[in-house]
Amino acid sequence: MEPAKLFTKHPASVGETYGEHLAMASSFGLRMILGGCACLIHGLLPFLFVKTGSKQVSTLHETMVANRRRAPLPGILDFVI
């Protein structure tokens, strides 16, 4: 596979350019980090961030799974190494 395809094949499979995919994946990652921090704080102080973790999971699922225009790639396993 040519090197440029390594950066464009997966983004194209989900209907995004490389730049769009970079922005979307980065925003998901930041939301997950912040949501995870809120969950850790909630574990220590259960009166804080009562719905934050579940709201982030719901929002990310809606954005990533329910609304995504995904074209499946044949023979590609659905996990990250």
Side-chain angles (χ1 to χ4, degrees):
M1 179 181 302
E2 64 185 83
K5 290 281 188 191
L6 294 173
F7 291 94
T8 59
K9 186 175 181 179
H10 170 67
S13 76
V14 294
E16 297 171 346
T17 66
Y18 174 78
E20 290 169 335
H21 190 71
L22 174 63
M24 188 65 74
S26 297
S27 72
F28 286 179
L30 182 58
R31 287 181 86 102
M32 287 190 277
I33 289 168
L34 294 175
C37 290
C39 287
L40 290 170
I41 293 168
H42 173 72
L44 293 170
L45 306 169
F47 52 89
L48 294 177
F49 304 114
V50 175
K51 296 182 180 181
T52 304
S54 59
K55 181 161 177 55
Q56 290 306 312
V57 169
S58 177
T59 299
L60 289 170
H61 177 269
E62 186 67 24
T63 304
M64 188 182 296
V65 177
N67 293 332
R68 178 151 280 183
R69 324 171 294 270
R70 187 170 191 156
L73 295 174
I76 301 296
L77 298 176
D78 197 15
F79 65 90
V80 177
I81 297 173

